[in-house]
Amino acid sequence: MTEPIFMGRSLSCHFRGVAALTELNFKIYPGEKVGLIGASGAGKSTLLSLLNGQQQPTQGELLIWGEAIATLSPKGRRRIQRQLGTIYQQLHLVESLAVIHNVNAGHLGRWSFLQAMFSLIFPQERPLAEAVLKQVGIPEKLFAKTSDLSGGQKQRVALARVLVQNPAVILADEPISSLDPQLSREMMDLLVQLCETQGKTLVVSLHSLEFARSHCDRLIGLKGGKILFDQPTTTVSEAQINHLYGEQSIY
């Protein structure tokens, strides 16, 4: 049987005594496209920050490829994190730099400090940067100033940066929050296509229930920091959705 990439065991996370996540138990397997859904403040972004190792659980255990990430050395944690690519809601792009430099940030986990500094003067790995920008549909923006791009183009640069990293897992935190419906569909189509053709696992938090249903094969519904349901997308009922976003309980 295939081993899970992520396994949460009674996973809880508190901030200044306030519970952001409580007693989560789940497994995420290779090749899955998992949507995290729920109202604002439900804990979706916190869960993603645990999955990429930025946050550590207050209680419980998170295993990534069978290793408890909280107990790993800094070197061991970096080894795991190199296989986890994150698209942040705020994108974390350096607006004053050319696109190629933001794309090349995907190399930082394996480049030395000197190589990274040298690349700011003489951009390294240009053929790879060109290739991933072509994959996301904006090859002509290689040397454009990032601040001059549209919101949708910036989202594509953030995705290209992750593709340069070439992780096994893509973690995306509201990747379409600032896009119009057409660009949202294009971005979600692109994410799913790249994961399916390259054999990557996708975990994505979404406010849009429509895109969660159309692009994810499994949904984890979070409410008040707890998992309300975790099941195949096609089996999630309207009653469950109404409970997730409303006050009426069906349990």
Side-chain angles (χ1 to χ4, degrees), residues 110-128:
R110 53 184 172 267
W111 277 0
S112 68
F113 175 77
L114 286 178
Q115 188 174 4
M117 291 299 100
F118 182 76
S119 185
L120 287 174
I121 304 169
F122 300 103
Q124 304 292 292
E125 301 282 358
R126 176 174 171 172
L128 179 56

Side-chain angles (χ1 to χ4, degrees), residues 120-160:
L120 287 174
I121 304 169
F122 300 103
Q124 304 292 292
E125 301 282 358
R126 176 174 171 172
L128 179 56
E130 291 175 330
V132 295
L133 285 173
K134 184 176 181 180
Q135 280 185 281
V136 301
I138 52 170
E140 75 284 357
K141 298 299 183 181
L142 184 67
F143 288 106
K145 190 176 180 180
T146 304
S147 59
D148 292 338
L149 302 183
S150 68
Q153 289 169 337
K154 290 176 183 177
Q155 294 276 14
R156 290 169 186 263
V157 172
L159 177 53

Side-chain angles (χ1 to χ4, degrees), residues 22-229:
T22 305
E23 294 284 320
L24 303 193
N25 293 285
F26 59 87
K27 296 178 182 178
I28 296 175
Y29 290 88
E32 287 194 294
K33 299 183 293 292
V34 180
L36 307 179
I37 60 173
S40 295
K44 303 186 297 294
S45 294
T46 302
L47 178 52
L48 285 173
S49 71
L50 288 174
L51 296 182
N52 71 12
Q54 284 196 322
Q55 296 283 347
Q56 297 302 316
T58 308
Q59 294 176 315
E61 186 177 50
L62 175 65
L63 301 179
I64 305 180
W65 285 292
E67 298 187 74
I69 192 166
T71 64
L72 292 176
S73 66
K75 183 178 180 180
R77 191 173 295 119
R78 286 193 298 270
R79 171 176 51 81
I80 292 287
Q81 288 175 320
R82 278 197 291 269
Q83 291 301 312
L84 308 172
T86 304
I87 301 174
Y88 297 94
Q89 188 172 354
Q90 297 80 15
L91 300 184
H92 291 183
L93 300 175
V94 182
E95 299 269 336
S96 60
L97 293 180
V99 166
I100 188 171
H101 295 304
N102 277 297
V103 171
N104 275 347
H107 293 291
L108 294 181
R110 53 184 172 267
W111 277 0
S112 68
F113 175 77
L114 286 178
Q115 188 174 4
M117 291 299 100
F118 182 76
S119 185
L120 287 174
I121 304 169
F122 300 103
Q124 304 292 292
E125 301 282 358
R126 176 174 171 172
L128 179 56
E130 291 175 330
V132 295
L133 285 173
K134 184 176 181 180
Q135 280 185 281
V136 301
I138 52 170
E140 75 284 357
K141 298 299 183 181
L142 184 67
F143 288 106
K145 190 176 180 180
T146 304
S147 59
D148 292 338
L149 302 183
S150 68
Q153 289 169 337
K154 290 176 183 177
Q155 294 276 14
R156 290 169 186 263
V157 172
L159 177 53
R161 177 180 59 198
V162 167
L163 293 178
V164 160
Q165 182 185 342
N166 193 26
V169 181
I170 294 179
L171 305 170
D173 190 6
E174 297 291 349
I176 58 173
S177 61
S178 61
L179 305 182
D180 64 38
Q182 180 58 36
L183 285 175
S184 294
R185 183 164 298 280
E186 290 177 8
M187 184 65 175
M188 289 302 300
D189 287 349
L190 184 59
L191 261 177
V192 168
Q193 177 192 2
L194 290 169
C195 286
E196 289 181 344
T197 57
Q198 298 183 15
K200 300 184 186 300
T201 301
L202 176 65
V203 184
V204 54
S205 68
L206 292 164
H207 277 304
S208 169
L209 184 60
E210 174 192 356
F211 288 116
R213 280 176 156 164
S214 60
H215 288 75
C216 300
D217 47 40
R218 173 180 162 198
L219 296 179
I220 295 178
L222 288 163
K223 184 169 185 174
K226 299 180 180 180
I227 292 179
L228 195 62
F229 56 79

